[in-house]
Amino acid sequence: MTCKNSGCQCDCSAPDFTELAPVMEKYAKTPGSLITILQKAQDIYGYLSMDAINYISEQTGIKPAKIYGVATFYSQFRLKPIGKYLIMLCQGTACHVNGSEMIEEAICEELNISDGETTEDGIFTLNNVACLGCCSLAPVMMIKSADGDETYGNLTKDSVKAVLKEIRAREV
Amino acid sequence: MKVVVGQGSCGVATGAKKTAAEFEKQIKEKGLNISVEKTGCVGTCYLEPIVDIYDDNGEITRYVKVQPDKVSDIVEKHLMGGEAAGDHEISDIDKTFIEKQTRIVLRNCGLIDPENIDEYIATGGYEATKKVVTSMTPDQVIEEIKVSGLRGRGGAGFPTWFKWNAAKASPGKEKYMVCNADEGDPGAFMDRSVLEGDPHSLIEGMIIGGFAMGATEGVIYVRAEYPLAIHRLEIAMAQAREKGFLGKNLFGTDFSFDLRIKAGAGAFVCGEETALIASLEGERGMPRLKPPFPAQKGFWQKPTNINNVETFGNVPWIIANGGAAFAAYGTAQSKGTKVFALAGKIKKGGLVEVPMGLPLKDVIFGIGDGIKNDKEFKAVQMGGPSGGCIPASLIDTPVDYENITKTGAIVGSGGMIVMDETTCMVDMARYFLDFTRKESCGKCNYCRVGTKRMLEILERITIGEGKDGDIELLEELAVKIKDGSMCGLGQTAPNPVLTTIKYFRNEYEDHIYNKKCTAHSCKELLTFTINDKCIGCTLCSKKCPVTAIHGELKKKHEIDQATCIKCGKCEETCKFGAIIRD
């Protein structure tokens, strides 16, 4: 990663978007592709940095303000980096009725973070989500990581803590 | 002989993948020549993971709650010994969960491998498409759908034939068929099951609809929270293309049709047609005024028709069996069957497809077997954030569009969240308002600010700071938000509040005037006390995070109410039932 700004004298490492280049090639000039581009960018980098938004703007000709507007409208997009494991805690109606609030408390207690935050060691991020569609197994959470998505159902305070402890033990 | 493991999201969440892997491992170890295959959601979610063993004579034995540790027993007894492993078999009572249903949309779910098009074709799949494109005119297709009486299953219940006809009548060569698979109602999951369990029926429904309205391109807008559904749809579309069911000149005719997937990015308001179209175009999903309707100006300003997954799922069946066969089910105004997602405090949760017009009681008690832990049935929430709560006194209400609307709720997409005596109705209203407030796109003042104001009032009530006049203020705001909002989200957002006030006004009053939560659920209104069952084990006092519990060893303890933060730790800890929650 070297600075791409022409004439730049610094030895800063400006962000490198080579991984995103093929995506841009495919979608940059196709109308209506902004959400798809943002999804792919987030898949690659884990979140949408301001640099990424500016890069997408340069490539597509869409104003950064508009991209920012779209990114903040949809709950899927994140403007901050996330931990290695993203905990998506379902707050759907069935989960609410079956005590998802209690599960949230247990997660917060175990990890010392609240909704939207990342643990200091960068392992976990907690996000409340609307509904994962596994309502008969409420309360439910999905944990996303590089290894794929894992869904856990019929959670109790103890079982959710056990899951988190197991992941943490693997990571340390 | 083959082993089929149900691997919808519910199954996977309970460990179905591990179960399937264990079968594969043991079959290999024992040197057996038996394949392990997958199927989608069977619908009996409370019995997952579910394993069906198909004997060579076609007989199916269903095993339930098959965790990996049960696999060896089934392999030894059934696969090797040829005898059913009775201990793990589905009980006769549980069999009735599906036997009592009438499955049209779910006809293949849990029976075929969704990743294998040949299994779908073997059930008569793509015959309806062939019939339509080779022997019917668009008008004949629309007429057949009209005869069936099929109405949109996404929530509004608008006649499907009418929408198709309007899109067909719109001038223009370029038209779009869109599927709304952005199942946003938190508590509904029938669309996910169809996408995961029978994706070809959706594809077929879209081709037939596309033919009827004159579209050559279709888009499926799926929520990003359903990764497995997207994965299976992609496989299904590729296989359909390979067989020539999608693409150019279907069945050797002039008709061409192809599909693509667009992953949504998480916004409830995108269930509204014009918002969904804005999102498809890469914009913020904000609704616009109608008319023009999407049938006139939709995706890229071209005539567009949008239907939901379940609606499309009915279409191939209707074409194959005739509109009249579909109309034979249901009531005068609400024809056919409807899939309901039964969840909440229900004993047997899952997907239930029944003819329209069946009384609520038959669904909740007849099929769902009543309330968990034998508590008392209090209400059922239907229609999600746009719907309402139907109280126990109306349990005989027939489930169809008209009768459910009369109660103040709506059929909606078919979510049924069952609640018992421990569910606080004010808290339910607060929960839904919190949801709609977050999901309001912000375009209309009444929806943006009004839902926020209503939420603030409800929050105050649930923490014991409700005031005289709050209920009336909520009612006044509700009416104004309904009148002052442009789209369905705002127009229906107050429904959960209005129905809970209508049927459970006493609970609101208890919160406001007596500072009591009847369901003992609102934390701030609780008091914890210790009764005579206390043996003085001191466990609760050790667990109390604020040391509010005092007492000597082997003597009854006391809770200092001024210090207590009502966290409930003592209640969880106590082994003697000595902590009273009031």
Side-chain angles (χ1 to χ4, degrees), chain A residues 30-36 39 66 68-77 88 91-102 105 109 115 128-138 140-142 144 149-154 157 161, chain B residues 9-10 12-14 18 45-46 185-189 192 221 223-227 262-267 269-270 279-286 300 342-345 349-350 372 417-419 423 427-428 430-432 435 441 523 569 572:
Chain A
T30 314
S33 300
L34 180 57
I35 293 172
T36 310
Q39 283 169 334
K66 189 168 169 190
Y68 187 79
V70 170
T72 51
F73 185 84
Y74 295 98
S75 59
Q76 187 191 10
F77 298 120
M88 295 164 73
Q91 299 287 358
T93 320
C95 288
H96 178 76
V97 172
N98 281 307
S100 60
E101 228 162 83
M102 219 166 62
E105 264 172 37
E109 233 172 70
D115 179 29
N128 281 332
V129 298
C131 184
L132 295 170
C134 299
C135 310
S136 298
L137 305 172
V140 181
M141 69 174 173
M142 189 191 274
K144 268 179 178 280
D149 308 331
E150 186 91 33
T151 312
Y152 303 86
N154 294 322
K157 276 183 152 183
K161 285 185 179 179
Chain B
S9 284
C10 295
V12 173
T14 46
K18 286 179 196 140
C45 306
Y46 68 103
D185 167 3
F189 53 97
R192 174 181 67 71
Y221 185 86
R223 20 189 345 221
E225 284 94 337
Y226 289 175
K262 185 98 181 177
V269 70
C270 288
S279 183
L280 281 180
E281 293 172 353
E283 306 279 334
R284 289 163 72 97
M286 292 167 97
W300 300 127
L342 202 51
K345 302 280 181 74
K372 252 190 211 170
I417 309 287
V418 176
M419 299 169 220
T423 314
D427 177 64
M428 274 323 285
R430 182 200 60 78
Y431 165 80
F432 281 116
F435 181 86
C441 81
K523 205 169 152 184
K569 279 254 159 59
E572 275 170 36

Side-chain angles (χ1 to χ4, degrees), chain B residues 153-155 163 177-185 191-192 195 202 206 219-223 226 233 262 264 267-277 280 305-312 413:
Chain B
R153 297 295 194 237
K163 284 174 77 168
M177 184 52 119
V178 175
C179 173
N180 177 358
D182 191 46
E183 192 166 45
D185 167 3
D191 291 352
R192 174 181 67 71
L195 294 165
L202 163 66
M206 289 187 75
V219 188
I220 308 173
Y221 185 86
V222 196
R223 20 189 345 221
Y226 289 175
L233 261 180
K262 185 98 181 177
F268 178 67
V269 70
C270 288
E272 204 281 341
E273 294 189 327
T274 58
L276 190 149
I277 289 168
L280 281 180
N305 179 72
I306 304 175
N307 284 123
N308 130 297
V309 176
E310 195 187 333
T311 313
F312 283 122
S413 57

Side-chain angles (χ1 to χ4, degrees), chain B residues 218-222 229-231 233-234 237 259-263:
Chain B
V219 188
I220 308 173
Y221 185 86
V222 196
I230 295 179
H231 174 69
L233 261 180
E234 278 169 348
M237 279 161 51
L259 280 175
R260 63 192 168 92
I261 297 174
K262 185 98 181 177

Side-chain angles (χ1 to χ4, degrees), chain B residues 394-471:
Chain B
L394 297 179
I395 186 85
D396 292 318
T397 308
V399 187
D400 58 40
Y401 291 113
E402 288 69 31
N403 280 297
I404 295 297
T405 306
K406 267 186 218 158
T407 66
I410 57 168
V411 170
S413 57
M416 268 193 195
I417 309 287
V418 176
M419 299 169 220
D420 68 11
E421 62 206 26
T422 63
T423 314
C424 170
M425 303 315 279
V426 186
D427 177 64
M428 274 323 285
R430 182 200 60 78
Y431 165 80
F432 281 116
L433 254 291
D434 183 43
F435 181 86
T436 34
R437 196 258 317 164
K438 282 181 193 150
E439 295 295 338
S440 168
C441 81
K443 196 164 183 169
C444 306
N445 279 356
Y446 269 107
C447 178
R448 184 182 68 240
V449 189
T451 52
K452 169 92 176 139
R453 290 289 97 87
M454 281 182 91
L455 174 64
E456 284 166 358
I457 298 168
L458 290 164
E459 277 175 345
R460 267 200 292 106
I461 297 176
T462 53
I463 60 167
E465 291 173 12
K467 293 183 294 205
D468 191 25
D470 273 350
I471 299 177

Side-chain angles (χ1 to χ4, degrees), chain B residues 166-355:
Chain B
K168 176 180 172 282
S170 259
K173 266 199 153 175
E174 219 175 305
K175 295 181 184 181
Y176 293 97
M177 184 52 119
V178 175
C179 173
N180 177 358
D182 191 46
E183 192 166 45
D185 167 3
F189 53 97
M190 59 286 292
D191 291 352
R192 174 181 67 71
S193 286
V194 174
L195 294 165
E196 289 176 359
D198 194 15
H200 288 288
S201 73
L202 163 66
I203 294 174
E204 230 192 319
M206 289 187 75
I207 300 172
I208 295 167
F211 176 83
M213 70 172 275
T216 54
E217 197 182 335
V219 188
I220 308 173
Y221 185 86
V222 196
R223 20 189 345 221
E225 284 94 337
Y226 289 175
L228 186 61
I230 295 179
H231 174 69
R232 295 218 170 126
L233 261 180
E234 278 169 348
I235 293 173
M237 279 161 51
Q239 290 178 345
R241 239 172 249 134
E242 216 169 88
K243 295 264 182 196
F245 300 146
L246 280 178
K248 292 220 179 316
N249 304 100
L250 305 192
F251 296 97
T253 63
D254 291 343
F255 178 62
S256 300
F257 188 82
D258 212 343
L259 280 175
R260 63 192 168 92
I261 297 174
K262 185 98 181 177
F268 178 67
V269 70
C270 288
E272 204 281 341
E273 294 189 327
T274 58
L276 190 149
I277 289 168
S279 183
L280 281 180
E281 293 172 353
E283 306 279 334
R284 289 163 72 97
M286 292 167 97
R288 61 158 175 79
L289 272 175
K290 291 189 277 193
F293 291 95
Q296 288 122 25
K297 280 189 174 180
F299 188 37
W300 300 127
Q301 303 294 307
K302 307 287 184 209
T304 303
N305 179 72
I306 304 175
N307 284 123
N308 130 297
V309 176
E310 195 187 333
T311 313
F312 283 122
N314 280 303
V315 170
W317 191 94
I318 292 172
I319 296 295
N321 297 279
F326 186 81
Y329 294 108
T331 62
Q333 298 295 318
S334 306
K335 301 289 187 197
T337 58
K338 172 83 190 85
V339 186
F340 295 98
L342 202 51
K345 302 280 181 74
I346 186 95
K347 259 189 207 157
K348 297 177 179 173
L351 287 181
V352 178
E353 183 172 356
V354 289

